[in-house]
Amino acid sequence: MDEFRLIISDLVMSFMWVCSGALIKILVYHVLGWGFQAKGEALKVSLYVVVMFFFAWFGKVSRGGSYNPLSVLSQALSGRFSDFVFTLFGRIPAQVIGSIIGVRLIIATFPEVGKGPRLNVDIHHGALVEGLLTLSIVMISQFLRNGHNGFFMKTWISSLSKLSLHILGSDLTGGCMNPASVFGWAFARGDHITKEHWFVYWLAPVEATLLGVWIFSLLSKPQKQKRQEKQPDKTIKAD
């Protein structure tokens, strides 16, 4: 039952995520006509932060729901093998399906929304950019997940980090760091089976996620060892 709930939550959140991003752009560029103006960029950033807080809350309420395959993959790599298999064959496909449905609906409702993120550099440069962006956000997420900050502070740091990294890569690859979302737009354009798509938006981010989890496990080992060494000392003193 918990597995089914997570799959449905992932599908719904992925659907809502692609829709929310497109709706924000439509509001700023087409409804208000503030595109490429300072007030338009400020409004867009503010709305993105609000949306990220909403999805963080939604993920908490749904007890683990997510719209990003890289987030659930990084968690699964640190858990049991059964969780990894469930993530690979259950949660990630649900996120992809939710993104495809969301993009289809948005394009059908608002044709002026555009065609989504595109690769504007060569495949190797694009893979490097998406890989570095993903590695950065995975490391930040790992530290936040294992830190002692509250919900608001974790979400605030995570939101600003994602926005900053997205802006850095937006002119090159779209700065997506979300394979499911990109797949939804690529599927609508018909270029979802190209090597550029799979190398830049799937292979590079997944490899960066694996590297980020591995680096964090190495960095956190000394801290775990110190805690284990302190526990016997406390026991001896109590005796």
Side-chain angles (χ1 to χ4, degrees):
M1 191 65 184
D2 288 340
E3 287 80 4
F4 180 74
R5 173 180 50 78
L6 280 175
I7 288 176
I8 296 300
S9 298
D10 289 350
L11 190 149
V12 172
M13 289 182 71
S14 298
F15 169 84
M16 294 172 64
W17 175 254
V18 295
C19 289
S20 63
L23 290 173
I24 289 174
K25 290 180 180 178
I26 291 172
L27 174 65
V28 174
Y29 290 97
H30 297 283
V31 177
L32 299 176
W34 291 354
F36 306 106
Q37 297 181 34
K39 58 183 179 180
E41 293 301 316
L43 177 61
K44 191 165 64 171
V45 168
S46 301
L47 290 175
Y48 274 128
V49 171
V50 172
V51 166
M52 287 183 185
F53 266 93
F54 169 76
F55 278 98
W57 170 82
F58 199 155
K60 193 173 182 180
V61 170
S62 61
R63 289 181 287 176
S66 177
Y67 56 86
N68 194 330
L70 303 178
S71 298
V72 296
L73 181 61
S74 64
Q75 294 176 26
L77 290 171
S78 306
R80 299 172 299 178
F81 179 72
S82 59
D83 294 333
F84 174 76
V85 173
F86 171 63
T87 297
L88 199 62
F89 296 103
R91 301 191 66 180
I92 292 178
Q95 292 168 340
V96 170
I97 292 171
S99 298
I100 291 174
I101 297 172
V103 170
R104 287 281 189 178
L105 178 63
I106 281 292
I107 291 177
T109 309
F110 304 101
E112 69 275 14
V113 72
K115 297 296 182 180
R118 288 178 178 271
L119 181 63
N120 298 317
V121 292
D122 63 87
I123 186 172
H124 301 292
H125 191 182
L128 179 62
V129 170
E130 280 294 313
L132 290 175
L133 294 177
T134 301
L135 177 62
S136 301
I137 198 60
V138 167
M139 292 295 295
I140 292 170
S141 299
Q142 289 287 323
F143 279 107
L144 290 175
R145 187 178 299 125
N146 292 271
H148 301 290
N149 293 319
F151 171 78
F152 178 85
M153 186 56 64
K154 285 182 178 180
T155 307
W156 177 252
I157 295 172
S158 176
S159 300
L160 292 184
S161 301
K162 289 177 182 177
L163 275 173
S164 300
L165 293 170
H166 168 70
I167 292 171
L168 286 174
S170 59
D171 292 334
L172 303 175
T173 62
C176 305
M177 301 168 286
N178 186 334
S181 177
V182 181
F183 188 89
W185 290 103
F187 187 85
R189 295 192 304 265
D191 58 7
H192 58 290
I193 56 174
T194 61
K195 67 177 182 180
E196 287 82 5
H197 172 76
W198 286 100
F199 269 91
V200 174
Y201 297 108
W202 282 94
L203 183 60
V206 168
E207 288 183 346
T209 301
L210 296 173
L211 180 61
V213 172
W214 178 69
I215 292 175
F216 180 79
S217 66
L218 289 179
L219 295 176
S220 61
K221 275 183 180 178
Q223 295 180 354
K224 290 181 179 178
Q225 290 176 352
K226 288 181 180 179
R227 291 173 185 171
Q228 291 175 354
E229 289 174 358
K230 288 180 179 179
Q231 286 178 352
D233 294 341
K234 290 181 180 179
T235 307
I236 293 170
K237 289 178 180 179
D239 293 340

